[in-house]
Amino acid sequence: MKQYLEKAHVLIEALPYIRKFSSKIILIKYGGSAMENEELKHCVMQDIALLKLVGLKPIIVHGGGKDISKLCEKLSLKSEFKNGLRVSDKATTEVAEMVLNRINKTLVQNLQSLGVKAIGICGKDGLLLKCSQRDANLGFVGKIEQVNVEILEELLEKDFLPIIAPIGMDESLNTYNINADDVACELAKALKTEKLVFLSDIEGLYEDYKDKNTLISKLSIKRAKMLLDNIEGGMLVKLKSCIDACEHGVKKVHILDGRVKHSLLLEFFTDEGIGTLITKEEYQ
Amino acid sequence: MKQYLEKAHVLIEALPYIRKFSSKIILIKYGGSAMENEELKHCVMQDIALLKLVGLKPIIVHGGGKDISKLCEKLSLKSEFKNGLRVSDKATTEVAEMVLNRINKTLVQNLQSLGVKAIGICGKDGLLLKCSQRDANLGFVGKIEQVNVEILEELLEKDFLPIIAPIGMDESLNTYNINADDVACELAKALKTEKLVFLSDIEGLYEDYKDKNTLISKLSIKRAKMLLDNIEGGMLVKLKSCIDACEHGVKKVHILDGRVKHSLLLEFFTDEGIGTLITKEEYQ
Amino acid sequence: MKQYLEKAHVLIEALPYIRKFSSKIILIKYGGSAMENEELKHCVMQDIALLKLVGLKPIIVHGGGKDISKLCEKLSLKSEFKNGLRVSDKATTEVAEMVLNRINKTLVQNLQSLGVKAIGICGKDGLLLKCSQRDANLGFVGKIEQVNVEILEELLEKDFLPIIAPIGMDESLNTYNINADDVACELAKALKTEKLVFLSDIEGLYEDYKDKNTLISKLSIKRAKMLLDNIEGGMLVKLKSCIDACEHGVKKVHILDGRVKHSLLLEFFTDEGIGTLITKEEYQ
Amino acid sequence: MKQYLEKAHVLIEALPYIRKFSSKIILIKYGGSAMENEELKHCVMQDIALLKLVGLKPIIVHGGGKDISKLCEKLSLKSEFKNGLRVSDKATTEVAEMVLNRINKTLVQNLQSLGVKAIGICGKDGLLLKCSQRDANLGFVGKIEQVNVEILEELLEKDFLPIIAPIGMDESLNTYNINADDVACELAKALKTEKLVFLSDIEGLYEDYKDKNTLISKLSIKRAKMLLDNIEGGMLVKLKSCIDACEHGVKKVHILDGRVKHSLLLEFFTDEGIGTLITKEEYQ
Amino acid sequence: MKQYLEKAHVLIEALPYIRKFSSKIILIKYGGSAMENEELKHCVMQDIALLKLVGLKPIIVHGGGKDISKLCEKLSLKSEFKNGLRVSDKATTEVAEMVLNRINKTLVQNLQSLGVKAIGICGKDGLLLKCSQRDANLGFVGKIEQVNVEILEELLEKDFLPIIAPIGMDESLNTYNINADDVACELAKALKTEKLVFLSDIEGLYEDYKDKNTLISKLSIKRAKMLLDNIEGGMLVKLKSCIDACEHGVKKVHILDGRVKHSLLLEFFTDEGIGTLITKEEYQ
Amino acid sequence: MKQYLEKAHVLIEALPYIRKFSSKIILIKYGGSAMENEELKHCVMQDIALLKLVGLKPIIVHGGGKDISKLCEKLSLKSEFKNGLRVSDKATTEVAEMVLNRINKTLVQNLQSLGVKAIGICGKDGLLLKCSQRDANLGFVGKIEQVNVEILEELLEKDFLPIIAPIGMDESLNTYNINADDVACELAKALKTEKLVFLSDIEGLYEDYKDKNTLISKLSIKRAKMLLDNIEGGMLVKLKSCIDACEHGVKKVHILDGRVKHSLLLEFFTDEGIGTLITKEEYQ
């Protein structure tokens, strides 16, 4: 009986959060270990299914990471990176598109089998992501020129959970591989979502990125900007995205540790925040 | 961390039930201790708020029980019962209407303060319950002649949680006091609800009602009818209502122990059923 | 035949008024003799039913008046007034809530029996009226802090005639007794109604309130303000409400004599105004 | 004051009728003196405007009568009739179309100036009335082959009062002059209207058509059929239409005296029926 | 086979134009030879039917031209013109209304027989065109005072192709004959249409109106205003209308030669413009 | 000028066909040369874009053909076929899913660049195609067990052109490769489409499949069944699908030669049928 009551209490504790986020759009950038480890992946799928079923409106943007490199290798295509972005000739972009769309439809399948009405699209569908070349040296790596969120609004209206592969197009029938963090950030801005969540292989932001004891749980844009000088690499890009999102209408940006099981659920339904929360103003 | 994971597991366990009952109408007859004990009452309110917020469509029918007697006593009106029904002259019916409507609006207030959009009505609103006299000896105790569920459908469409006081009317401007179990049963039948739940001060049905060890957790109508001869009083009436509901389109009828905290939540979101479940067919 | 033609002429005379007020929201504060005298009450119910059926959208706010005092007396609760407002301890507020809700549902019943789809609510339903304490000396007499007219708009959209009891709530589960004139005024302002009608036991406003021959049939806010110094008591409060309403979007405020049979109908469907009309600008 | 009360009573008397006919479609065949006498015409327009404004859905089918003959005469076209139907060559049909459409738009104008949203159409608009030749000897007199009420349903949905000129077409671009009684009858049948009203220059049906004292106020189809042998001419055709309508879903057919001012209003809003009412079953 | 391919190419060439004008409102002023010559008329009807079926929203405003004069003559009414406008006494206006409405319904018939859902209205329907007297010397020639496009929007919403006769009304039940170019211009302005097309008996505008070799294919308002001094008569009025339309929200105004078969189709679905195009800015 | 008129005539000739197919759902199975030859592919894309823009509702089901084999070869996976179906182990199915989804999104891109709102899905999205194993020897080749067309209806309602890759799933997270003809046939049956079009590398059906002069342009199911004995291989399967579709609500099934440019357009918009048409009844 005591065990039952504890279960009831957990559910009751979720009550104010469910109410708070009801009907809110939540953009989740999904990548890293949480996508590659099958057990973690299953937890994320369950978490997102629950978010959807209790009334939130999640949208997933996923990456493709290691699978693209693996297939390139099998096909004897060289995987080269510049500033963390894959140099993409026609053949590599084709591989990226194949791999990303397969991952995309596998996520659809996972969510459908949990009873969620899911649909997998990329930036070509409904002309969601119109791109140009980001940098001639990178080949077909896309810079997002225009976001047409009409398709997302229509799919949400019909109660779908949209899952988005980071592929875009231009008007000359070129296909572009786009950084998934960029896609997540631009879509969150265009939809002015309640939350933008980066689920990745880091615990969060650190005051001193060499000292794992200096994890920051909450910070304002102002303080985030001061951190920019201290960090570098992929993290620098991600933090810039976070700041950009907060400055363009996204209410809260979270950096969550995808290596922790059910980190999404815990972030959404308990008082204890996990990872780092970035907001426009100082957050109480 | 372990504690967090346990929380996550409880939430994930609820996933299939939330999916299963999504958008389903659930009629809850609410009475007894669960209404009189403040702590139990608060638990029921939380449970119903959670059911509503995760996507079910609960409707509450409540009784008035001891409060009517108390006010009658203060006003020196005699409280007389025949076969468990209050003999109701004009003055007593007036007291019942006052007390029931006050209880009704207090429930509205409780749910509103938990963030639920609630509305309190009785059988007069939208002519929900048209009555005739049940028995001349009982005075203004109503027999339900006609149920107009249009008002409930419209309130559900507008996302309200309707709370119903068991008061009805006839065309000659008479007011009737109606047995709340009857109201719950007739509305569940008219709406062909997914579930009809009686929350009352019994553990459930017993094979032998004198032996508390013989609680029945599930039974079909067929077996329920065989029990009719063994029981009597209010329980006999309630069991007949359960059978009636199952025979007219209600999928499942539950008799839950309102004295157990969060019994509603546990019934809805765990595998272990609480109390007694009655279904048309033998239930697997 | 001549009699028939006269009937036809009366109906035809109503034509421009029916057209003029079609689909307009009309807030009626209903109280005094028109509520206590059965014959007058029946006339008011007929009038409001007709307004509804020819296409207007009436909303009723009613008081409880003498019935609250009567029940307090029977229960040996002292009825004390300060500045026309009932001093309300917990017990008195409970009595007020019971009596008001019973009156409320009786009005629903009267209108339903005339074929009108009515629903009775109070300030708790849909959190229509959020209150705070008006004055510590008055106990649970509410000051309206926030009006959520969403519930009224939804009920009107579903073609209901809403009837409102002047009871409110705060977030700490306290119940408040509110002055019905205040409720009517605040709701009319929030809905920017076409008309706000006070149906009470006075002929209207007088130039000199000691001289019944000085009834004013029309006046602007400007002139109304000049009258404020000449009057006192309940009338002073009511006139302030009228001015407040006109200054916040209500087109016309009427003070009608509820002791005159069918005064509502005559005001709405004949050229001759009855009682006093207050408008923002000088009215032609 | 007494006069005011009488006005109020007339309005209150209309209450049950307004409720009864709310949202019902009423097809009115309008012709004869009521169309030619300016004063009577004004009364009919007022009556129909009132029916519309209190919530009924009137549709008017009108004739053209004497105006067609007058213009034919001016243009030296011979007006010839067979069995009450105008023999219509191309030139005559063209005149009929011109005159009928002008009458049509004048009725629109009359109703618009009374504040009613009216629209004038003929059987060509939305292909409402598809015709064939009725009788080679009659030229372009149409027999209704197909009725497409979609256009009427769409106009009613947009709150228009449709006014219909009895002109039809076939697929070979021929135009037909149709008997207005036929149009009224076929449209009433297709829409299964609540009422079909013939407003013409007769008091109603007589037991013995030579004796004006034998006016029949109500009769069933069964009795109506027995009358068929006793009558002849236009009246015989009209009675057959009435029976046909009752047998195909029209609830009540009225023959009203258009020479009596406001006969429509009196029929709709008083207990005393005017003219003759025909119903499927014996009517109580 | 080659012939088939050519057909396919023509259809494919139309693709970008169909896409470009999809769901756009196109106001067509229809008059002159294109209305009087049966073969040309048939081509125009086909063109408009095609525009409608591929997704544009055409609205037709037509004139009556010679038919009004012809009937006047037959009825011995004098046809007198001042500044290109017909002097209209009551009798003449009546003739104009008859003729225009007949033309109107004939156009409806033509389009219905091509499978288009058409409806014929005039300025009286839904009070589309409220007029006053333009000039006392012209009698009932209307000046448009108010345009109520609600009726057009509702008919377009229901997928009708509205055809409009240039007849208006005032509040005193007077009927007015209005210049069809004015009606087209005012409606295009009120609806801010994509295009306003004048289909008439001229090739377009000329640099030098005495030299047919100086046809102007495109010009801006600025240049159009400079032309005003060089032209006169009906053409001057039309050009002023064109400029007025462009200055009030109409995107493009075309003057097309109605004597050329399928000029509408060629203008809409080929690169080569026909006639003269007037736009606000210099058009590329 | 003459050339212009010819263009106009081609467009006008399309008029009755555009009207006839307006809003009709057309299922197109797209494969073979028409997909592999860039020029033919561009023609098909234009044709389908035109069908969509003039008001039809096309749905595309595509195959993957040679591209799957090519990638298998590069990855040293053996391509084995039994009865025309690819034997599919996990690795091969993964390749098929990657290739098919890439083709899918390329078609989306092609249509988007022609201005058509397209979306690419597979049988996993919205659980469109629920499969079981067709034959243990074939591995993950799917047999369609259940079709959920809700997703297609919702996408059509939002004006999308759905493009479908022949991939399905079961409840155990297995992915299946499905024969594209089967997918086309089952979806056409479930949607009861107006037409099902197979665009492939054959001219049509032959009376004697060895004699190219015996092409059949139209045949009924009855006659089609008689042909079954004479044919074999892929053609036999396709013909069985055609018959199956006709027997389950599809109005017309076409076998079109995808090697002929614009064969779709010519079939839809000229009288001369191309290829073979199969209908339930003998077709006139």
Side-chain angles (χ1 to χ4, degrees), chain C residues 1 4-5 7-8 10-13 15 18-19 46-47 49-50 53-54 114-115 260 262 265-266 272, chain D residues 1 4-5 7-8 10-13 15 18-19 46-47 49-50 53-54 114-115 260 262 265-266 272:
Chain C
M1 202 63 223
Y4 282 155
L5 262 178
K7 282 189 180 187
V10 173
L11 293 165
I12 291 301
E13 271 180 50
L15 189 57
I18 292 174
R19 185 166 66 232
Q46 287 180 318
D47 289 6
L50 192 72
L53 287 170
V54 302
L114 289 168
V260 175
H262 298 300
L265 218 53
L266 296 172
E272 303 297 322
Chain D
M1 201 63 224
Y4 281 156
L5 261 179
K7 283 190 181 188
V10 173
L11 292 165
I12 291 301
E13 270 179 51
L15 189 57
I18 292 173
R19 185 166 65 232
Q46 286 180 317
D47 289 6
L50 193 72
L53 287 170
V54 301
L114 289 168
V260 175
H262 298 300
L265 218 53
L266 296 172
E272 304 295 322

Side-chain angles (χ1 to χ4, degrees), chain A:
Chain A
M1 201 62 224
K2 178 161 168 293
Q3 179 202 346
Y4 281 155
L5 261 179
E6 275 168 13
K7 284 190 178 186
H9 287 156
V10 173
L11 292 165
I12 291 302
E13 269 179 52
L15 189 57
Y17 298 101
I18 293 173
R19 186 166 63 233
K20 184 174 167 190
F21 296 125
S22 177
S23 296
K24 294 291 196 304
I25 301 177
I26 308 296
L27 211 144
I28 299 163
K29 158 62 205 309
Y30 174 49
S33 309
M35 209 164 83
E36 279 144 25
N37 173 301
E38 279 303 314
E39 194 185 350
L40 286 173
K41 182 180 171 185
H42 187 59
C43 290
V44 173
M45 292 295 105
Q46 287 180 318
D47 289 7
I48 292 176
L50 194 72
L51 295 182
K52 176 83 175 67
L53 287 170
V54 302
L56 286 74
K57 299 184 173 181
I59 296 174
I60 303 174
V61 173
H62 62 84
K66 299 185 181 157
D67 285 356
I68 299 174
S69 297
K70 277 185 211 157
L71 186 57
C72 282
E73 197 177 334
K74 283 190 195 163
L75 294 167
S76 312
L77 293 166
K78 190 176 57 175
S79 277
E80 188 189 347
F81 289 84
K82 286 186 183 161
N83 298 324
L85 295 167
R86 180 185 301 274
V87 178
S88 303
D89 57 9
K90 276 262 173 201
T92 306
T93 308
E94 211 167 284
V95 167
E97 190 176 14
M98 288 197 298
V99 169
L100 285 166
N101 278 320
R102 194 186 155 262
I103 289 172
N104 184 274
K105 297 301 182 185
T106 305
L107 295 177
V108 168
Q109 184 169 11
N110 281 304
L111 283 164
Q112 281 289 158
S113 73
L114 289 168
V116 171
K117 195 175 151 189
I119 191 165
I121 61 173
C122 71
K124 294 177 175 181
D125 299 277
L127 197 46
L128 176 63
L129 298 168
K130 208 167 154 182
C131 296
S132 63
Q133 201 173 50
R134 184 178 177 136
D135 174 345
N137 296 321
L138 290 168
F140 294 98
V141 171
K143 181 181 157 205
I144 299 169
E145 291 291 344
Q146 198 189 322
V147 169
N148 301 308
V149 289
E150 192 193 326
I151 183 175
L152 291 179
E153 289 162 347
E154 289 174 334
L155 294 176
L156 290 177
E157 194 189 318
K158 288 292 184 190
D159 203 32
F160 283 103
L161 189 160
I163 303 174
I164 300 161
I167 291 290
M169 65 182 273
D170 65 13
E171 285 180 330
S172 317
L173 295 182
N174 293 308
T175 296
Y176 294 91
N177 188 6
I178 325 174
N179 178 267
D181 283 6
D182 285 2
V183 173
C185 182
E186 290 305 322
L187 291 179
K189 282 161 61 182
L191 292 163
K192 300 199 182 306
T193 61
E194 185 70 16
K195 288 193 189 244
L196 166 58
V197 180
F198 290 99
L199 205 63
S200 53
D201 288 359
I202 50 169
E203 258 192 284
L205 289 173
Y206 302 98
E207 202 68 56
D208 172 357
Y209 76 105
K210 285 167 237 146
D211 177 359
K212 299 294 176 194
N213 293 318
T214 62
L215 184 71
I216 305 167
S217 66
K218 295 172 189 175
L219 81 168
S220 64
I221 302 179
K222 197 175 153 193
R223 243 181 92 205
K225 285 180 177 171
M226 295 187 295
L227 280 178
L228 287 176
D229 296 336
N230 302 342
I231 54 179
E232 55 192 22
M235 201 54 231
L236 178 61
V237 175
K238 204 180 285 283
L239 185 52
K240 280 182 178 169
S241 283
C242 295
I243 293 168
D244 184 26
C246 283
E247 283 180 335
H248 291 88
V250 177
K251 302 241 171 59
K252 295 181 195 172
V253 181
H254 292 270
I255 299 176
L256 287 192
D257 192 341
R259 299 164 303 185
V260 174
K261 281 189 199 169
H262 297 300
S263 53
L264 267 174
L265 218 54
L266 296 172
E267 171 54 41
F268 273 84
F269 297 130
T270 71
D271 279 328
E272 302 296 323
I274 284 185
T276 301
L277 163 65
I278 300 147
T279 54
K280 194 170 181 188
E281 312 297 336
E282 212 62 50
Y283 188 73
Q284 298 76 28

